């Protein structure tokens, strides 16, 4: 994205949304926030010069975000669908 400053260093938040009926119980969304390390290859500007075979840049994630067991305890999956909210804190100078 040419509007962003690189390396990418903005705070990112992912939430798995609990689809339980709020009138029956308070939703218990699962949320994880991170600040990217601008020195990691994963957060450098994408481009043709980067090899898609470079395993060190295949992605970034949380292997223990939520267990399969915990997903089944609440309504995170409803009608074969899940909802994930992603938000990125973008500096004002990019938005204006």
């Amino acid at each position: 994205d040419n509007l962003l400053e690189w390396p990418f260093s903005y705070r990112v938040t992912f939430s798995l949304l609990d689809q339980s009926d709020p009138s029956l119980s308070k939703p218990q969304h699962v949320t994880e926030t991170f600040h990217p390390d601008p020195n990691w290859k994963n957060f450098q500007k994408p481009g043709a010069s980067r090899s898609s075979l470079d395993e060190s840049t295949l992605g970034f994630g949380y292997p223990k975000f939520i267990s399969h067991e915990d997903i089944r305890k609440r309504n995170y999956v409803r009608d074969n669908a899940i909802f994930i909210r992603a938000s990125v804190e973008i500096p004002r100078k990019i938005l204006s």
Side-chain angles (χ1 to χ4, degrees), residues 2 13-15 18-19 29 35-36 39 41 46 55-56 58 65-66 76-79 83 85 89 92-95:
N2 290 322
T13 301
F14 290 103
S15 297
D18 181 356
Q19 299 181 66
H29 307 313
H35 289 87
N39 297 314
K41 290 181 186 179
E55 290 185 10
S56 68
L58 289 179
F65 180 67
I66 187 169
Y76 295 110
V77 179
R78 191 169 180 181
D79 298 328
F83 290 95
R85 177 176 47 217
E89 279 192 11
R92 288 189 183 274
K93 63 183 177 178
I94 289 178
L95 298 174

Side-chain angles (χ1 to χ4, degrees), residues 9-74:
S9 60
Y10 310 119
R11 187 172 81 169
V12 178
T13 301
F14 290 103
S15 297
L16 174 62
L17 303 183
D18 181 356
Q19 299 181 66
S20 299
D21 184 343
S23 67
L24 299 177
S25 66
K26 182 179 179 190
Q28 295 178 14
H29 307 313
V30 177
T31 300
E32 189 71 55
T33 298
F34 69 93
H35 289 87
D37 180 343
N39 297 314
W40 282 18
K41 290 181 186 179
N42 301 64
F43 302 112
Q44 302 299 316
K45 185 173 184 174
S49 63
R50 289 184 36 191
S51 168
S52 61
L53 301 176
D54 183 354
E55 290 185 10
S56 68
T57 62
L58 289 179
F60 176 84
Y62 288 96
K64 297 188 182 216
F65 180 67
I66 187 169
S67 69
H68 289 187
E69 181 182 333
D70 287 342
I71 286 176
R72 292 183 193 99
K73 288 179 182 176
R74 303 216 28 108

